[in-house]
Amino acid sequence: MSIYVGNLDYSVTSEDLTEVFAEYGTVKRVHLPTDRETGRMRGFGFVEMGTEDEEASAISELNGAEWMGRELKVNQARPREDRAKSGGGRRNNRF
């Protein structure tokens, strides 16, 4: 399982997230996606922890918590959608 962490400040680092989540168990991995064009963080990330119990505890405690002036959105990460099935991201098929 992986944890989705949303509404992050753009200045957050992997070390910052590791420090917060370490209070709930062993942090195995932190991933902060960046924009391909600008290299800027996209405002969300993913955290993997040692056990599912640790992840459940972190989700329960941190979802809705205020951190760095923002209300965190923390939940179980969903699998990435297959882009071919979703129409390639195009919302208006008239063109």
Side-chain angles (χ1 to χ4, degrees), residues 43-84:
F44 65 92
F46 300 93
V47 177
E48 291 179 21
M49 299 188 71
T51 68
E52 288 189 17
D53 287 341
E54 292 171 347
E55 290 177 342
S57 177
I59 290 170
S60 172
E61 293 296 321
L62 293 173
N63 187 42
E66 186 174 322
W67 185 54
M68 297 181 76
R70 294 175 174 248
E71 186 176 313
L72 295 179
K73 294 182 182 3
V74 183
N75 52 52
Q76 184 175 352
R78 294 182 297 218
R80 193 171 187 179
E81 292 181 8
D82 184 355
R83 293 175 191 245

Side-chain angles (χ1 to χ4, degrees), residues 5-25:
V5 186
N7 200 30
L8 293 173
D9 187 274
Y10 293 112
S11 66
V12 168
T13 65
S14 295
E15 292 79 19
D16 293 333
L17 269 186
T18 299
E19 186 177 318
V20 170
F21 279 80
E23 293 182 31
Y24 303 96

